[in-house]
Amino acid sequence: MEELPLSGYKYSLETGDDEELLKFGLSMPNLTGSGEKIESQFKIGTNGSQSWNLNLCWPLRSSLLWNQFTDGCRSNLSASVYGHSSFISRAGLKSISPFGLNLTAQISPKPYIVQLLQWDCSWRYLRPMDNHTASFATRSCSGHSLKSSLVNQVTINTLDDKVLPTKGVRLQLGQELAGLGIGNVAFLSTSANAALFHPISDRVVFGGNFHLGHMLPINVKDNFESNSNPVDKYSPKVRGFASHRVGPRESDGKTYLGSNTFWKMSLHLISAKMPFLRGSSWLVENVRGHAFAQVFSSENSTDSFVKWLITEPSKIFDKSRCSFGVGLLARLGNSGQAELNYCFPLRWNQSDTANHGLQFSLNATLLE
């Protein structure tokens, strides 16, 4: 048993979507002696993103639940208010969410299984980054929207490390239904992510990852939007291509609003230790050699999830894109990663922005 102080604070550097983040946090744990905790966080990024969060977490205790801390995961109920703003450069938009609210139940019957059920309601505002150069497609998605959604997600994770894993599996299945009661955005999205890592020798680790997402707009009321905005759509990051610039592109030739379907498969070979380095320096412990190959597709589809899943394999040779390359991985803190790769795109569509040669990215983890 450990006695906790009345309050505490911390700050740290993190990595986000190709940017560095400075994070400040203040917490007040165990105010009534029941294990609850009030936390507030503020993040500011080098690319201009900002976010804040105020969260109340209340633990759930039962002999059927796993009640020990595991990477911050514990069975609990929580309520949060939040706000954030960021730039969506691929679409020429600034996304602002002045206020949001979510209620979450997280159940963990075993240390490697987490069931999450969340209701989220947020007010969003999109505006052009530059009113003078904004395209018609950018202006058409500007304005206010209110989204109310229910999220159900199950995660099974036995990986030994979430940044540079060497063995284990991770499976995540989730669905989000937007348009519950209030709001002017309605859709059903389904996503799945599967990853496997296994050492094939003392010095080499093999990794594989498969990720898919499908979003189907729903017209529940006459005034509901027939399509979600770029904040909701999929825009995958793919090695060998410019960040978030794959898939459908607008007629102006520079605007990417995202797609409602995508899938991506990645294969990795990772050195367990960098060759020619000895000792226990930071380079030895946190830098790895890396070779990869990726195949992916990102398109708009009007099919249901089941129909899309059945018909998509027949389109692999017609619409899929691929790339491979070699490079370096570096751990940044407990949850971040940096990559420097030399990429060789082999196949792409005219709408994609291929990136031949060196490519640097932050937070492009092996699980993406």
Side-chain angles (χ1 to χ4, degrees), residues 6 33 52 78 101 119 121 130 158 189 195 275 278-279 293 329 336:
L6 179 63
W52 62 270
S78 64
L101 168 69
W119 174 77
C121 183
D130 188 338
T158 65
S189 70
R278 298 292 184 270
L329 308 175

Side-chain angles (χ1 to χ4, degrees), residues 39 72 110 200 275 316 319 323 332:
E39 292 181 299
K110 296 291 182 180
I200 57 177
I316 289 180
K319 293 187 176 182
S323 65
L332 299 177

Side-chain angles (χ1 to χ4, degrees), residues 92-315:
L93 291 165
K94 182 175 182 180
S95 171
I96 304 171
S97 181
F99 182 81
L101 168 69
N102 65 54
L103 304 175
T104 305
Q106 183 170 280
I107 308 299
S108 181
K110 296 291 182 180
Y112 51 85
I113 300 177
V114 178
Q115 167 77 53
L116 182 141
L117 186 65
Q118 181 182 81
W119 174 77
D120 181 85
C121 183
S122 60
W123 163 34
R124 294 98 57 83
Y125 173 52
L126 292 177
R127 65 174 179 84
M129 293 168 55
D130 188 338
N131 287 318
H132 300 289
T133 61
S135 66
F136 176 79
T138 296
R139 295 179 186 276
S140 67
C141 13
S142 301
H144 297 268
S145 63
L146 180 64
K147 185 181 89 167
S148 173
S149 68
L150 185 66
V151 178
N152 181 29
Q153 182 177 279
V154 179
T155 304
I156 300 174
N157 188 357
T158 65
L159 296 178
D160 58 347
D161 191 290
K162 59 184 177 181
V163 180
L164 296 174
T166 60
K167 62 180 179 179
V169 297
R170 182 178 185 268
L171 176 63
Q172 186 175 82
L173 303 172
Q175 281 193 312
E176 180 179 11
L177 176 61
L180 296 175
I182 59 175
N184 62 342
V185 176
F187 62 82
L188 174 65
S189 70
T190 304
S191 62
N193 187 304
L196 167 68
F197 290 86
H198 187 74
I200 57 177
S201 72
D202 292 339
R203 290 188 170 271
V204 179
V205 175
F206 169 79
N209 179 278
F210 182 76
H211 194 185
L212 66 82
H214 178 277
M215 176 183 293
L216 182 66
I218 302 173
N219 291 322
V220 181
K221 299 177 182 177
D222 292 339
N223 63 338
F224 269 31
E225 296 179 356
S226 60
N227 272 305
S228 52
N229 63 37
V231 177
D232 303 310
K233 288 188 173 183
Y234 301 113
S235 179
K237 292 177 66 175
V238 185
R239 297 168 182 88
F241 295 82
S243 180
H244 301 300
R245 284 174 170 82
V246 296
R249 180 168 55 180
E250 300 305 310
S251 58
D252 64 346
K254 62 180 181 180
T255 304
Y256 290 85
L257 299 181
S259 62
N260 61 7
T261 65
F262 89 98
W263 61 265
K264 179 173 65 171
M265 183 173 65
S266 308
L267 299 177
H268 305 270
L269 289 177
I270 308 146
S271 65
K273 294 286 185 179
M274 286 294 292
F276 313 116
L277 294 179
R278 298 292 184 270
S280 58
S281 64
W282 183 89
L283 285 175
V284 173
E285 298 297 328
N286 297 285
V287 179
R288 301 286 185 268
H290 178 223
F292 70 88
Q294 289 190 312
V295 182
F296 75 97
S297 176
S298 178
E299 306 290 341
N300 283 322
S301 173
T302 58
D303 294 334
S304 66
F305 175 70
V306 174
K307 185 177 180 180
W308 172 76
L309 203 61
I310 294 174
T311 59
E312 190 65 18
S314 64
K315 304 175 184 177

